[in-house]
Amino acid sequence: MNQTLVDGIVRAVLYEGYMLYPYRPSAVKNQQRFNFGVVYPRAYSESRNSGDAWTMQTECLVAGSGKTECQIRVRFLRMVDRSIAKLDETCRDMAETAFTKSVKVDRLEVNGQVFQPWQEAAEETIEIAAINISTLLHHPVSWLFRLSSQQEIQPIVDEHGSIVGIVQLNKSSVSGVVELRAAELSSGVFKLVARISNESSLRESENSTREQVLSQSLVSAHTILEVSGGEFVSLIDPPEEYLAFVRDCQNVGTWPVLVGQAGERNTLLSSPIILYDYPQIAPESPGDLFDGAEIDEILSLRILTMTDEEKREMRQSDARARMILERTEALPPEHWTKLHGALRGLRNVKGEQP
């Protein structure tokens, strides 16, 4: 398996829709993000009967034996709520802020830097150790996980070295279950089932909104499955003898495809975005832009046309947005030529020559 290739695809899926052009919190389309792969708390989904999923299920086929080993990783984004507060009185030490009144604000500008509330994201991985299929046939695995709540407070300091405000970063607790089981369909052919459930206890009442429970959800959730001593069967283009088994696979909220170098069959990416087998990142792409079917040249050119004030908001809103801006502004001329001149999919056309 080409780990670098797989990691590139996984990161592209993970941050799909994280922040869209023009990459500013004030932009309307960034007020509600993460349209793909959100696994909400069960209590919220059932109480609201909203259709917002609290589970995600992958079913795939493995050709191998009872000794074939399977490994599973669930990756997702965990939301970090960032709030900004202005102190009524300045102070010199963070310990003093506990005794100073403060008020939350939507914007605080200090030393030319703008601080705004935002939802950042932290990457999380739940990993289950390798287990052979013969064990899964008789003893399905249920892996409980719990990510504890966390809080971090950072000072906002003015030009005189006085603390005038604070940045508060809050992570809510997230808990759930990853289930893995197998069934033998015929000699040497097995169905592997991976199911993710969000069992987080709501910190708010049953009247919580979708935006409020996002901090206790698995965002951009996807599953990476690997096997050794066997191989996965493509669900997109399976051999004829597997067609009936493929039709019976029930994938809920996700779609599994083969990843790695073409022809490799030991790694499967099951994501909420429909991909083809062996997806690739365009080799001339300078980096992630978080936009669906991103067109690097157009998006990069649009970034350069932003005003200085818009770039300032983009730069100060989020570390990942700032990276996009700095990378785009630093692109050398020869890279723009690569972005503009890429051609793919050319083939010979049969017929009369002109």
Side-chain angles (χ1 to χ4, degrees):
M1 177 184 65
N2 186 326
Q3 191 65 50
T4 300
L5 175 60
V6 173
D7 286 346
I9 299 298
V10 169
R11 283 187 59 81
V13 170
L14 187 65
Y15 285 100
E16 180 77 32
Y18 171 72
M19 184 184 282
L20 303 176
Y21 176 87
Y23 303 106
R24 293 181 285 111
S26 60
V28 174
K29 60 182 175 181
N30 282 320
Q31 299 302 308
Q32 183 174 343
R33 303 172 294 157
F34 306 109
N35 298 317
F36 302 102
V38 181
V39 183
Y40 294 93
R42 178 177 183 176
Y44 164 78
S45 297
E46 293 184 339
S47 66
R48 299 297 296 272
N49 194 26
S50 59
D52 292 319
W54 62 274
T55 63
M56 178 179 282
Q57 178 173 291
T58 297
E59 291 193 356
C60 57
L61 300 181
V62 177
S65 68
K67 295 181 179 180
T68 300
E69 287 196 334
C70 307
Q71 189 169 14
I72 177 174
R73 284 177 289 151
V74 175
R75 293 188 63 181
F76 58 94
L77 296 178
R78 182 184 181 191
M79 303 317 301
V80 182
D81 290 322
R82 183 178 76 199
S83 60
I84 308 299
K86 181 180 180 181
L87 300 182
D88 286 350
E89 298 180 4
T90 63
C91 57
R92 286 285 183 174
D93 190 277
M94 276 297 293
E96 298 177 24
T97 61
F99 304 99
T100 303
K101 291 184 179 180
S102 63
V103 57
K104 289 188 176 181
V105 294
D106 292 330
R107 177 188 172 95
L108 181 61
E109 184 168 351
V110 180
N111 294 339
Q113 185 173 357
V114 177
F115 297 87
Q116 294 176 288
W118 185 239
Q119 271 195 329
E120 302 177 10
E123 295 183 24
E124 301 288 357
T125 301
I126 308 300
E127 185 168 345
I128 298 178
I131 186 169
N132 61 50
I133 284 182
S134 62
T135 299
L136 290 174
L137 290 174
H138 302 95
H139 303 286
V141 172
S142 292
W143 189 274
L144 305 178
F145 66 89
R146 187 178 189 279
L147 306 174
S148 301
S149 59
Q150 298 176 14
Q151 184 181 91
E152 180 183 351
I153 296 179
Q154 302 171 350
I156 300 175
V157 181
D158 66 10
E159 67 274 19
H160 304 296
S162 298
I163 300 175
V164 297
I166 56 174
V167 178
Q168 184 168 309
L169 303 173
N170 287 314
K171 288 183 182 179
S172 298
S173 61
V174 179
S175 58
V177 183
V178 179
E179 301 171 81
L180 188 63
R181 65 180 186 273
E184 187 169 15
L185 304 179
S186 68
S187 178
V189 182
F190 305 88
K191 177 187 286 187
L192 194 62
V193 182
R195 189 172 188 266
I196 308 165
S197 304
N198 187 345
E199 302 288 351
S200 302
S201 299
L202 292 181
R203 61 177 184 177
E204 305 289 346
S205 66
E206 292 185 354
N207 295 321
S208 298
T209 65
R210 181 183 284 108
E211 288 69 28
Q212 289 172 328
V213 301
L214 200 61
S215 62
Q216 291 186 272
S217 301
L218 283 64
V219 177
S220 295
H222 58 277
T223 306
I224 305 163
L225 300 107
E226 297 179 65
V227 294
S228 59
E231 61 181 30
F232 290 108
V233 175
S234 171
L235 298 189
I236 296 176
D237 186 24
E240 186 173 352
E241 62 267 28
Y242 295 116
L243 283 175
F245 299 143
V246 168
R247 294 191 191 102
D248 288 338
C249 288
Q250 299 294 316
N251 287 286
V252 182
T254 189
W255 181 250
V257 297
L258 297 168
V259 289
Q261 298 287 0
E264 293 181 337
R265 296 181 178 276
N266 63 331
T267 307
L268 203 70
L269 170 63
S270 188
S271 82
I273 301 170
I274 296 178
L275 301 170
Y276 46 85
D277 284 337
Y278 309 114
Q280 295 183 25
I281 301 295
E284 69 276 1
S285 175
D288 294 334
L289 290 166
F290 308 150
D291 228 314
E294 56 194 43
I295 306 173
D296 292 54
E297 182 185 21
I298 292 176
L299 287 174
S300 298
L301 288 171
R302 292 296 297 272
I303 290 171
L304 295 183
T305 65
M306 294 167 65
T307 66
D308 290 341
E309 179 59 31
E310 289 171 335
K311 288 182 179 179
R312 184 171 76 142
E313 183 184 351
M314 177 180 175
R315 182 178 289 107
Q316 297 176 354
S317 64
D318 183 279
R320 295 182 179 92
R322 181 171 62 253
M323 187 181 301
I324 289 176
L325 177 59
E326 292 174 351
R327 183 184 67 220
T328 303
E329 291 184 321
L331 284 178
E334 58 269 24
H335 205 108
W336 289 102
T337 302
K338 290 181 181 179
L339 290 177
H340 185 66
L343 289 175
R344 291 187 184 81
L346 296 181
R347 59 185 176 85
N348 293 326
V349 178
K350 295 181 179 180
E352 189 176 318
Q353 294 293 326

